[in-house]
Amino acid sequence: MLTRHYILATIAVVAAAPCLAARPADHGGSTIAKAIPLKERGTKAVVEEMAWMLKLYNYSPVLAVHDAVADASSKDKTGKNSVNTPAPWGHGSLDHNGHLISYWWFVTPLGKKEVYFDTGISSDTLGDVAEQESARAQYMRRIASSVKLQ
């Protein structure tokens, strides 16, 4: 005969099985609805976004800038006239159900990639939104100024 503890443990496992077997939410960043939730805020959030892009695509806007500068430099050295090429990356802030979504696109050697991040900031709090945008702009300015050719 089973003791009461074994019966209660069996009931608990059976009751929890559907919850444990459920697949976690897909947050791959491929669409605005599947935006990757960020844990950090401010400049640390931008660093986290760059880390995610490197993890997902082995590429980031920082590398896209470096490659664009290297390409322009090689064209300049060969004497070819360079045509104004479009920026190798872009960023936008979107509102999705009251959440501030950070949208990045960048050009890789394999084509254009897009990724969405849920900043965890309410799009209704303008001070937080402005602070995040300022941190992102400062980060990208600092990175762009440090890009050097070897």
Side-chain angles (χ1 to χ4, degrees), residues 36-49:
I36 298 169
L38 297 176
K39 297 174 184 158
E40 301 292 338
R41 300 290 175 265
T43 304
K44 290 182 179 181
V46 182
V47 172
E48 186 180 2
E49 289 173 343

Side-chain angles (χ1 to χ4, degrees), residues 19-130:
C19 297
L20 297 174
R23 295 185 63 210
D26 181 22
H27 294 289
S30 59
T31 66
I32 197 167
K34 296 179 181 181
I36 298 169
L38 297 176
K39 297 174 184 158
E40 301 292 338
R41 300 290 175 265
T43 304
K44 290 182 179 181
V46 182
V47 172
E48 186 180 2
E49 289 173 343
M50 295 298 158
W52 269 107
M53 287 183 263
L54 284 171
K55 181 179 176 181
L56 293 171
Y57 303 112
N58 293 324
Y59 213 74
S60 72
V62 175
L63 294 173
V65 168
H66 180 271
D67 290 351
V69 170
D71 187 44
S73 176
S74 67
K75 285 181 181 178
D76 197 31
K77 287 179 183 176
T78 60
K80 293 182 180 177
N81 291 338
S82 62
V83 179
N84 288 341
T85 57
W89 65 273
H91 178 268
S93 294
L94 310 171
D95 177 16
H96 179 68
N97 296 334
H99 287 254
L100 179 67
I101 302 295
S102 175
Y103 164 69
W104 288 93
W105 67 264
F106 51 98
V107 179
T108 73
L110 300 175
K112 183 178 176 182
K113 304 294 180 189
E114 297 179 335
V115 64
Y116 297 85
F117 296 97
D118 185 348
T119 63
I121 297 172
S122 171
S123 57
D124 297 332
T125 52
L126 297 179
D128 291 344
V129 172

